[in-house]
Amino acid sequence: MNGQRPAPLHPPAATPSPPSPAVQPSRIRSPTLRLRRAATTLGRLKDAAQPIAAATRSALMEPGITLALFGAALALIPPFIVLLAPFMLLLLPLLLPLGTTLSAIGLLRAATVASLSPPRRPPSGASSSAATLSPSSVMDTPRGSTTPGDPDGGSLSRLGEVTAQRGEALVMQVAGALKASVHRATNEVKSELDIQLAALQEELQSWVGANSNLRPHAEGQIGWLARTQAADVAKELDCTVDFRELYGSLPPVNEPLTIEAIETLLPLPTPDANCSWRALRYLIVPGLLTKWYPMYMAQLCSDFKRLGLRFVFSAIDTDQSVRENAGRLRHEVLELAATAEGEGRVVLLCHSKGGCDATAALTLFPELLPCIAAVVTMQSPHSGSAVAHDLAHTEVQRSIAMSALEKLLRGSKHAVLDLSYENRRAFLDQHPYPSGAVPTICFASCEKPPRSRRGEKRPSSLLKPTIDYLALRYGEWSDGCVCQVDATLPGCRAVFLDDIDHFGPAWRSWPATDSYDPARLWLTAVSLAVTANPNRS
């Protein structure tokens, strides 16, 4: 009324204050708790859903797997039936009588049991009287006697015994008849099978004979050079026993070989002071294609160096022909002999085709003979190689092998063709080896099965396929490359071993599987060769 503003009837509302510090964190934590609870719930749902998902997956996969197995069974059953059909046909003569006989016996026994009349029911008085019998009286009743409760008087037990006897007799008769029928059917099947196999063999032989790629071309050629020598002469020149005695006298393989042991245990002729192990010069002549073989003769060269023996590894091309390598050997022998202190001081150590190359050099160049102290050939195809002969007389195999030799290895096809039987025969007819002019020893080896070597057990040779091929095709034992009867020269001493393959003289371990040490093997051979003719010069 007097110009002043009237006072409010109610006090003004309080201004909302900010939340206290105690209340603010609870509002901030509430979303975090909700997230945690949601995550926990999701984890529980996931754990609960995993078994359901696994069961659902298994249920969905089961029809597919079942269908796949059923399809595989349908695919495998026809071949299985086809494979079993021949055996079922062979067993039909046995299974049919056996099944028929067993069925008859079963039906007969069932009919016998069915024909028996059922026991009559005893009268009431008898049953009552039987009920009054004590267990002791029943036990005391003798077997076969009648009792008040057994009106048949034991006829059922007697009938059972008779039935069993007759059944046994019937089974014996049926078994005898079945045995006779099976024996007769077996003989018929065997005779028919022999006839069919003989016819199949004749057909295969005729087919193989008509095919030049499968024909046994070396038939009758193997061992032709050995047959030119009389049996008594060959027996006299066999020094296998002497070799085994000398080799066995050396220290064991696990002990190092020393030059003192060699000079003491391996004899040498001593016509002059220069004939000693260290005075000799050794020329190692390698075999066919050996320049491609890793570690070939490496152990032998290492042992010769350790023993102080002077040797040279020939530089001939192992992929070339015999005549070309013979010319190369002529220069090497003359150069090596020039370093010696006199004549007859070079020893030729020849392996495989190297033996053919070295003997060809001595026959083509007689001026080398005074320089040679001895010749050792190991597993050399002097009369030829059956493998090379078959390879040379086929079309497909020859074209493949010659193409690989000439185009891939840059060699000469005559390196293989020179080892065929007709080429070796032609060469030796024109240039016979002077066996009386130079001491020579030939090692002829083969790899026979362990059973034929008194039960000895060794790892199988890597050349076993070729060994089996020559044994089955021609009936000849070999070392995997050369037949044993083809590795000798007429008029020369020989050693025959049956426990070493073509790898043995060149490797101490793999790929060789024999027990011979190359250094001991070659040095023993040198001792035998040099002592064969000590007064040659």
Side-chain angles (χ1 to χ4, degrees), residues 294-316:
M295 304 300 293
Y296 177 76
M297 293 288 185
Q299 184 66 39
L300 180 64
C301 296
S302 176
D303 289 339
F304 273 30
K305 289 180 181 179
R306 182 177 55 82
L307 295 172
L309 303 179
R310 301 179 183 179
F311 72 96
V312 173
F313 196 92
S314 177
I316 62 172

Side-chain angles (χ1 to χ4, degrees), residues 39-240:
T40 304
T41 305
L42 289 177
R44 293 176 180 176
L45 291 176
K46 183 178 179 181
D47 294 340
Q50 284 182 352
I52 300 175
T56 305
R57 184 169 57 253
S58 301
L60 292 176
M61 290 179 61
E62 185 176 357
I65 296 176
T66 305
L67 186 61
L69 294 177
F70 184 70
L74 292 179
L76 294 177
I77 286 175
F80 185 72
I81 294 176
V82 172
L83 290 176
L84 288 182
F87 298 99
M88 296 301 295
L89 291 177
L90 291 177
L91 295 177
L92 184 62
L94 175 64
L95 296 178
L96 188 60
L98 181 61
T100 305
T101 304
L102 293 178
S103 300
I105 293 175
L107 292 175
L108 181 61
R109 190 173 184 94
T112 303
V113 174
S115 64
L116 297 177
S117 59
R120 292 175 299 176
R121 295 182 61 183
S124 58
S127 60
S128 60
S129 61
T132 59
L133 292 176
S134 64
S136 60
S137 63
V138 174
M139 295 296 295
D140 294 338
T141 304
R143 185 177 180 180
S145 62
T146 59
T147 60
D150 187 7
D152 292 335
S155 60
L156 290 179
S157 61
R158 179 59 181 168
L159 181 60
E161 294 176 359
V162 172
T163 303
Q165 293 176 358
R166 292 181 179 178
E168 183 178 359
L170 181 60
V171 169
M172 295 297 293
Q173 294 177 0
V174 172
L178 179 61
K179 183 178 180 180
S181 61
V182 169
H183 183 69
R184 182 170 58 255
T186 303
N187 291 335
E188 293 177 356
V189 172
K190 183 178 179 181
S191 60
E192 183 66 22
L193 186 61
D194 292 340
I195 295 173
Q196 296 297 331
L197 289 177
L200 179 60
Q201 185 177 4
E202 292 179 359
E203 185 176 354
L204 288 176
Q205 289 178 353
S206 62
W207 179 71
V208 169
N211 192 336
S212 60
N213 293 319
L214 300 176
R215 188 182 308 161
H217 298 281
E219 189 72 34
Q221 302 282 345
I222 301 176
W224 68 269
L225 187 59
R227 290 192 291 268
T228 61
Q229 183 174 245
D232 54 345
V233 177
K235 184 177 181 181
E236 185 178 353
L237 294 174
D238 186 356
C239 55
T240 305

Side-chain angles (χ1 to χ4, degrees), residues 18 89 117 158 197 212 217 228 243 266 296 316 341 353 359 372 403 420 431 433 443 445 458 474 476 525:
L89 291 177
S117 59
R158 179 59 181 168
L197 289 177
S212 60
H217 298 281
T228 61
F243 166 78
L266 297 181
Y296 177 76
I316 62 172
E341 300 176 357
K353 180 179 173 288
T359 55
I372 303 300
S403 298
S420 64
H431 310 284
Y433 181 71
F443 272 65
S445 68
R458 291 194 301 107
Y474 298 111
E476 295 288 345

